[in-house]
Amino acid sequence: MDSAPLLFLCRGQPSLWDSEPGEKHIVYEAFTGDGSCLPPVIFTTQETEASTEPDGLFRDEKGNEAYVVYIPGLGAPSAKSTAVWLEKMTDRRTNYFGDHPHVVLDSLYGHFTKVMLGDWENIGATLHRLPAASRKWLNPCEPSINGEMRREFTRLQQLDR
């Protein structure tokens, strides 16, 4: 492997203690080979104060940041949510992909559509696909990253929906 950075993209669906029936939240998180994390992107089916901000960036009291994106009719992770995540991560102000990274993805079809493959190529990423049944054995986001994200997300929901 060359000296390009390694990036893992993970997705999860945190359960919410007070969600309305049918309300959906999907979280995309990513971390780099050096252990640092990129801001997560939280997709929601309900407009929130954070999702109406110009850049959709939410900051908690500790200074943690997350993008909040409202997508009406959101069902499951898809090419659309992956494209929005990639757009947030390659924004000209915060381009995390300016150094031609190696990106490790789970096998979600939405990561590998023809359009998405073109988007990945445009940013110079080298893709690596985890096998569909790898779960916690190969995917570094399961359960350590996703579990921690779910705990913190639930804690913040309990403090202020």
Side-chain angles (χ1 to χ4, degrees), residues 75-90:
S78 63
K80 181 176 182 174
S81 57
T82 302
V84 171
W85 177 83
L86 188 58
E87 180 183 300
K88 295 289 185 191
M89 297 300 110
T90 58

Side-chain angles (χ1 to χ4, degrees), residues 3 9 27 48 57 75 77 84 97 99 111 113 117 121 140 150:
S3 62
L9 171 62
V27 178
T48 66
L57 192 60
V84 171
F97 293 89
D99 46 8
H111 297 327
T113 64
L117 288 173
E121 187 176 316
R150 286 182 179 109

Side-chain angles (χ1 to χ4, degrees), residues 106-127:
D106 61 19
S107 61
L108 174 73
Y109 174 74
H111 297 327
F112 299 97
T113 64
K114 189 175 184 177
V115 171
M116 282 308 306
L117 288 173
D119 290 348
W120 290 116
E121 187 176 316
N122 288 340
I123 63 164
T126 301
L127 301 182

